[in-house]
Amino acid sequence: MRKKEARLAVNIGKLKLKNPVMVASGTFGYAEEFADFMNLKQLGAVVTKTITLKPRQGNPPPRTCETPAGMLNSIGLENPGVDAFISKKLPILKKIGAPVIVSIASEGDPDEFISLAKRLDKINGAAAIELNISCPNIRGKTSLISQDPGSTFKVVKMVREVTGKTLITKLSPNVTDITEIAAAAEKAGSDAVSLINTLTGTSIDTDTKRPRIASVIAGLSGPAIRPVAVRMIWEVSRKIKIPIIGMGGIMDTPSALEFFIAGASAISTGTANFINPALSVEIISGLKKYLARNKLRDIKELVGTLKS
Amino acid sequence: MLQIRAKLIYNKNITGNFFHLTLRAPRISGKCLPGQFISVKVNGPNEPLLRRPFGIHKVKGSDMEVLYEVVGRGTEILSQRKAGEYLDLIGPLGNGFDLGAFSGSRASSSPVIVAGGMGVAPLLFLAQRLRGLRASSPKLRTEVLIGAKTASSILCEKEFKNLGCDVKIATDDGSRGFKGYVSGLLERGLNTGRRPPIVIYACGPRLMLKEISRISEKYNAPAQASLEEHMACGIGACLGCVVNTKKGFERVCKEGPVFRANEIIWG
């Protein structure tokens, strides 16, 4: 008799995912760009490019550059705004058959999170909400909500009070102690945390003495930041009880496995989607093979198994 | 868009730092339009991390050709890849040139191709396709203006001539043909004599394209320009390669790389 396949299903708050492999916000557009490369339905979930209340044209180019084993980006949350998102993008996203997690951000006033959450609360196709309180690329901002436990608590609690949907809080690695921030999000009622957003960085063209990214400071992603991400997930997993969605430089199945072992219940592919658009579905089958080889019946048996 | 493993057939230095690369891609080659591009992972994981975009230089059956210049680590590694190896390839990508002006039977305008430096790369494929479109009227020659720094860095002159094009040269130092930029050569041609309506197809450095755009407006000759920008994904997802247009920021990899020159805010 054929052996039963290992279980990959996980729950994040009320959200039931058929597998723990998602695609990170800002790295997958609104999914339509990837339809040629995979059956999108296979994905555990799709996290959208971050949506703001009003349309945003984003930052001036150049917006990206390559760095050693990584890249910098400063897109500046270019998006069509919540109304156009709901009327134009969401109908396409709903058709793919994987849960859609809508990433939202404020452009300055934290109350925009409330308006956005209220708006999405009534929308069927939005399976969950991810609070992007950690984008490093909004002009004129010197500090992020996710750089302060008090502000994090306040914003998450405000949103928690206006929506029953699953809430995920996305954390910044640009902090002294990420566990404090994660604990604040948990205490305020977040159903899960996702980490890490990009690390801030700068790259300079020495011939022109100009920054390679117009906004000077940008977000670093890719395999270069993976050890930072894995460390932070390990630290956070020992402090909080809600699930962790891990991301940061996942390039293949072995690197995804590191995140589960460190304590993540689910993972997201990010920058790697730019290089190998079908990576996330490759990881789903890679996880199955790993579990079978290690005689594990459920991915949950792997989570947080770091021997130290 | 397809992602495939393409067999490397040929990869040789032609002159200076310029290389010719041929890839066998039967599932992609037939779908390619002039002005579109492909993206290639030049080696394994991590370093360099991102794919590299290349304009499609020529298509012949199931083979497609790329003309590239070694300018950095990515192209350096690519130049060392050998025939028989396989490269991870995605294509075809982006929107190509609009050939609408030449597909009807009453096509009355004539194409003028303007190439600056490496800009010749995607334009040879365009000349190839234009020749096919205009096969019924062999007397209609496509005019091609090639600009280069100096006589020894002129690319593809023979290839364009073999396609029956009427080729004119401009060099920055005057070592061949018109002395000055290729945009100057274009303007000189438009200044002298009466000519039928033309459509300009251009690819090259940004400043050259900006100049072509000015000339296009001045002489009321529509121009299409193929733009180049650093890309992270090449498939429209990252929003990294945007260019400022009259409609706002647009993605070079998706709405482009070919744009109407008068749509771009050149700055």
Side-chain angles (χ1 to χ4, degrees):
Chain A
M1 209 179 85
R2 193 163 164 263
K3 267 194 207 158
K4 230 176 125 183
E5 222 172 47
R7 276 189 298 274
L8 287 181
V10 292
N11 293 345
I12 307 285
K14 291 181 203 161
L15 188 60
K16 293 183 196 319
L17 305 182
K18 59 186 172 299
N19 68 63
V21 179
M22 326 186 346
V23 287
S25 179
T27 67
F28 213 70
Y30 301 102
E32 54 198 326
E33 291 82 2
F34 289 81
D36 284 358
F37 302 106
M38 68 172 84
N39 179 357
L40 293 162
K41 198 180 168 181
Q42 292 173 271
L43 294 170
V46 170
V47 187
T48 67
K49 172 85 185 150
T50 297
I51 304 300
T52 50
L53 212 46
K54 293 190 190 118
R56 268 179 77 88
Q57 66 160 5
N59 292 340
R63 291 175 166 185
T64 64
C65 78
E66 193 175 50
T67 59
M71 62 173 281
L72 286 168
N73 89 80
S74 180
I75 308 302
L77 299 185
E78 178 179 333
N79 80 92
V82 70
D83 290 332
F85 168 74
I86 290 170
S87 63
K88 295 203 180 90
K89 300 293 182 185
L90 202 57
I92 305 168
L93 279 162
K94 274 160 78 171
K95 280 188 203 139
I96 67 180
V100 176
I101 299 172
V102 183
S103 170
I104 60 172
S106 83
E107 292 183 88
D109 180 0
D111 283 350
E112 291 168 22
F113 277 108
I114 303 180
S115 314
L116 284 160
K118 276 186 177 165
R119 194 74 212 281
L120 291 166
D121 188 58
K122 302 183 207 85
I123 306 288
N124 247 333
I129 295 171
E130 180 170 273
L131 302 174
N132 181 1
I133 55 170
S134 49
C135 175
N137 295 328
I138 300 186
R139 270 175 171 238
K141 294 201 91 181
T142 48
S143 70
L144 309 168
I145 294 164
S146 63
Q147 284 173 326
D148 177 65
S151 310
T152 300
F153 180 84
K154 226 168 109 185
V155 167
V156 176
K157 195 158 168 40
M158 267 171 12
V159 177
R160 179 75 290 170
E161 280 164 6
V162 300
T163 180
K165 285 202 196 274
T166 296
L167 267 193
I168 301 161
T169 308
K170 184 152 182 182
L171 305 182
S172 169
N174 303 303
V175 292
T176 309
D177 181 2
I178 195 169
T179 69
E180 281 188 332
I181 318 289
E186 179 181 44
K187 202 172 149 210
S190 192
D191 294 298
V193 286
S194 57
L195 59 141
I196 56 176
N197 206 319
T198 54
L199 284 149
T200 48
T202 296
S203 177
I204 297 170
D205 180 330
T206 52
D207 289 332
T208 60
K209 293 187 182 161
R210 286 181 182 280
R212 287 204 166 90
I213 305 269
S215 60
V216 187
I217 297 174
L220 179 66
S221 64
I225 71 165
R226 189 191 307 143
V228 179
V230 174
R231 183 265 291 181
M232 288 188 161
I233 281 148
W234 184 66
E235 285 182 333
V236 168
S237 73
R238 301 199 305 169
K239 182 92 170 241
I240 63 168
K241 298 214 161 53
I242 53 175
I244 297 168
I245 301 160
M247 68 207 69
I250 293 174
M251 295 301 288
D252 47 26
T253 300
S255 49
L257 288 164
E258 281 193 63
F259 285 73
F260 288 105
I261 295 167
S265 297
I267 59 108
S268 285
T269 54
T271 298
N273 294 320
F274 299 157
I275 299 143
N276 179 6
L279 176 69
S280 39
V281 292
E282 285 173 27
I283 290 178
I284 296 166
S285 59
L287 291 179
K288 282 181 194 159
K289 280 183 200 146
Y290 177 87
L291 294 177
R293 205 164 57 237
N294 289 276
K295 301 192 168 52
L296 297 169
R297 284 170 307 171
D298 195 311
I299 186 82
K300 294 184 191 79
E301 293 171 31
L302 183 66
V303 175
T305 52
L306 180 69
K307 297 173 185 170
S308 59
Chain B
M1 294 184 285
L2 274 179
Q3 184 178 16
I4 61 158
R5 268 162 46 83
K7 190 173 186 180
L8 200 161
I9 304 296
Y10 181 93
N11 190 20
K12 290 224 169 87
N13 187 218
I14 45 168
T15 173
N17 280 330
F18 299 102
F19 282 71
H20 237 150
L21 169 72
T22 304
L23 295 166
R24 184 144 298 162
R27 291 165 66 208
I28 292 178
S29 63
K31 299 194 178 92
C32 297
L33 301 169
Q36 288 189 304
F37 66 101
I38 57 171
S39 80
V40 168
K41 186 80 174 99
V42 297
N43 64 346
N46 297 356
E47 196 49 41
L49 183 66
L50 301 172
R51 309 177 76 88
R52 293 292 186 269
F54 297 101
I56 300 162
H57 185 50
K58 215 190 274 181
V59 170
K60 203 175 173 188
S62 55
D63 288 351
M64 41 205 304
E65 277 182 32
V66 164
L67 172 66
Y68 66 97
E69 184 179 7
V70 173
V71 289
R73 244 178 81 67
T75 40
E76 172 77 48
I77 292 168
L78 181 62
S79 71
Q80 288 153 12
R81 301 296 304 265
K82 303 262 185 303
E85 294 178 356
Y86 283 82
L87 289 177
D88 177 343
L89 184 161
I90 294 179
L93 296 165
N95 283 312
F97 292 103
D98 179 0
L99 301 178
F102 309 105
S103 12
S105 53
R106 295 183 302 131
S108 57
S109 20
S110 58
V112 177
I113 289 176
V114 188
M118 267 311 288
V120 295
L123 295 173
L124 187 72
F125 184 25
L126 174 69
Q128 203 182 24
R129 198 52 64 88
L130 279 171
R131 183 176 139 132
L133 281 175
R134 311 173 89 211
S136 54
S137 2
K139 278 186 189 160
L140 295 176
R141 286 158 75 89
T142 297
E143 192 174 341
V144 177
L145 313 181
I146 302 176
K149 283 201 175 85
T150 182
S152 61
S153 54
I154 297 162
L155 294 165
C156 300
E157 184 181 2
K158 214 176 95 196
E159 285 89 338
F160 280 112
K161 281 183 174 160
N162 288 345
L163 289 169
C165 300
D166 182 9
V167 180
K168 295 192 177 80
I169 305 286
T171 52
D172 297 358
D173 62 1
S175 52
R176 274 261 334 256
F178 176 82
K179 184 180 180 186
Y181 294 137
V182 70
S183 47
L185 177 60
L186 171 71
E187 189 160 21
R188 192 185 68 174
L190 292 170
N191 262 329
T192 52
R194 301 158 71 103
R195 43 186 311 158
I198 60 163
V199 179
I200 302 166
Y201 294 98
C203 184
R206 193 183 165 91
L207 281 175
M208 167 198 139
L209 296 178
K210 182 181 175 179
E211 187 59 9
I212 300 280
S213 180
R214 181 192 66 79
I215 294 167
S216 137
E217 299 219 3
K218 184 173 168 191
Y219 295 91
N220 199 20
Q224 298 175 32
S226 178
L227 269 59
E228 202 176 37
E229 200 47 70
H230 280 286
M231 289 177 188
C233 75
I235 58 172
C238 73
L239 313 183
C241 63
V242 295
V243 60
N244 207 1
T245 76
K246 288 179 181 161
K247 289 183 259 174
F249 286 133
E250 296 210 303
R251 299 166 291 185
V252 170
C253 75
K254 202 77 184 178
E255 284 78 39
V258 177
F259 293 89
R260 312 256 157 205
N262 62 6
E263 284 287 306
I264 303 291
I265 297 168
W266 296 99

